[in-house]
Amino acid sequence: MRLPENVTLKEVGPRDGLQNEKVFVSTEDKVEWINQLSKSGLSYIEVSSFVHPKWIPALSDADEVFSKITKQPGVTYSALVPNAKGTERALKANVDEFAVFMSASETHNRKNINKSIEETFPVLKEVVDEGRKAGKKVRGYVSTVFGCPYDGNVAVGEVKKVCDRLFSMGVYEISLGDTIGIANPKQVGEVLEELVKDFDADRFALHFHDTRGLALANTLAGLNAGITSFDGSAGGLGGCPYAEGASGNAASEDLIFMFEEMGINTGVDFNKFMKAASFIEKALGKPLPGRQLKLLEGRA
């Protein structure tokens, strides 16, 4: 196995984790949670989304959350930015880094963004251009890389086309999403083998959902393919509003535990992170699926 000495864990729970929750977590609890995450050693936290509040009510307080969190040195605080209006809000909120998003499959892109793939590029280019002009780095998310709930299999060639367009715009990293948790380790290895023929491995991150219990196995396949950047969500929070049946993201604490046990440094204090994971679980008032959280609480 080809194992790196270090990996970067990007905590997406405050955005991708909460966006699908029916319970509205108060602004005060969001701020407290993010402040706890900030002190755990994480270098990257995706705080919220500047999508119109009508579409994602759970994150309707993005502006207020950004104004109230206590930023720690060395931590990047990012947000999802969908369009010109979102860009305006994100710049006003002094977001450190923008994230843009689209799908590799046509139907999911239409359901998620209400546009075709081709129609999406000019909208995202405007966000990228404005963000970079303001000195912001821009990250990209590509959903349904390993399979679509509507279109089925997604050809690697289609993924390459989308990645090529996004990189050409100036996106520095693309997070490859297994939106419905359908990927398996063999497939992950094969897809990455094709992608790294055209793009450097260090320009990709992996974003797995644990729908079928394969998120950690798929992460291992990613490591073996040279990927060192991974998205996770505290407690395994998350899902996709436009992909029925998509369960939570890979639990950050499970990723941290696996990496550290394998001798791969994450820079994260496990105990401090677990405190933050327990906090959001209590705020939501329901048990979360992360395995380390279950062990901590005697639910395993």
Side-chain angles (χ1 to χ4, degrees):
M1 288 185 68
R2 295 184 295 164
L3 297 179
E5 291 183 8
N6 306 284
V7 293
T8 301
L9 179 68
K10 300 198 168 182
E11 174 57 45
V12 300
R15 193 280 299 177
D16 195 25
L18 292 183
Q19 71 174 7
N20 212 35
E21 290 298 317
K22 292 179 174 62
V23 172
F24 182 83
V25 174
S26 71
T27 303
E28 291 70 25
D29 280 348
K30 287 188 181 102
V31 169
E32 174 58 28
W33 180 36
I34 292 163
N35 287 345
Q36 287 187 22
L37 290 169
S38 295
K39 294 173 184 174
S40 71
L42 288 166
S43 61
Y44 191 102
I45 302 171
E46 193 174 58
V47 172
S48 196
S49 168
F50 289 99
V51 173
H52 194 288
K54 179 177 74 172
W55 299 115
I56 309 288
L59 303 178
S60 58
D61 56 354
D63 311 79
E64 194 177 354
V65 170
F66 264 100
S67 73
K68 290 184 173 180
I69 58 173
T70 302
K71 290 186 174 182
Q72 297 292 330
V75 182
T76 296
Y77 297 89
S78 74
L80 212 60
V81 183
N83 51 32
K85 179 62 178 173
T87 300
E88 189 181 313
R89 291 173 62 200
L91 290 174
K92 191 175 178 183
N94 197 27
V95 171
D96 293 337
E97 183 175 303
F98 286 13
V100 295
F101 59 99
M102 63 181 299
S103 306
S105 57
E106 192 66 47
T107 306
H108 187 267
N109 201 74
R110 287 182 181 277
K111 296 269 188 184
N112 198 17
I113 301 176
N114 202 29
K115 287 180 174 59
S116 70
I117 287 175
E118 198 56 41
E119 289 167 341
T120 302
F121 290 123
V123 178
L124 299 191
K125 187 175 188 308
E126 186 178 5
V127 175
V128 176
D129 287 348
E130 288 302 311
R132 295 183 76 207
K133 194 191 299 181
K136 311 294 183 183
K137 291 175 73 176
V138 185
R139 187 180 196 234
Y141 282 103
V142 178
S143 302
T144 64
V145 168
F146 302 97
C148 173
Y150 308 103
D151 298 337
N153 293 332
V154 178
V156 181
E158 296 305 307
V159 178
K160 277 188 179 182
K161 285 180 194 173
V162 170
C163 290
D164 188 46
R165 292 285 290 272
L166 290 175
F167 283 138
S168 297
M169 288 179 199
V171 165
Y172 79 93
E173 177 182 79
I174 291 175
S175 176
L176 303 168
D178 180 23
T179 311
I180 52 173
I182 203 169
N184 65 72
K186 180 172 180 285
Q187 179 192 18
V188 170
E190 290 169 350
V191 167
L192 291 172
E193 185 180 6
E194 285 300 312
L195 290 176
V196 299
K197 287 177 182 176
D198 293 348
F199 314 104
D200 292 339
D202 64 6
R203 301 201 72 184
F204 291 111
L206 288 170
H207 183 113
F208 291 120
H209 285 243
D210 204 30
T211 314
R212 293 165 178 80
L214 289 175
L216 291 180
N218 289 332
T219 297
L220 199 57
L223 279 173
N224 201 42
I227 306 300
T228 58
S229 180
F230 297 88
D231 295 351
S233 178
L237 257 175
C240 176
Y242 304 99
E244 191 176 344
S247 62
N249 294 280
S252 297
E253 63 271 20
D254 294 346
L255 291 169
I256 294 164
F257 181 82
M258 183 180 80
F259 290 142
E260 296 287 351
E261 286 292 303
M262 293 171 70
I264 302 169
N265 179 48
T266 63
V268 181
D269 183 310
F270 185 75
N271 291 328
K272 287 181 180 177
F273 190 91
M274 291 304 292
K275 180 186 171 190
S278 294
F279 177 86
I280 194 60
E281 183 178 61
K282 290 183 178 71
L284 285 164
K286 67 175 187 179
L288 295 178
R291 288 172 178 81
Q292 298 303 317
L293 204 50
K294 287 180 180 178
L295 279 169
L296 181 71
E297 296 165 354
R299 295 188 284 115

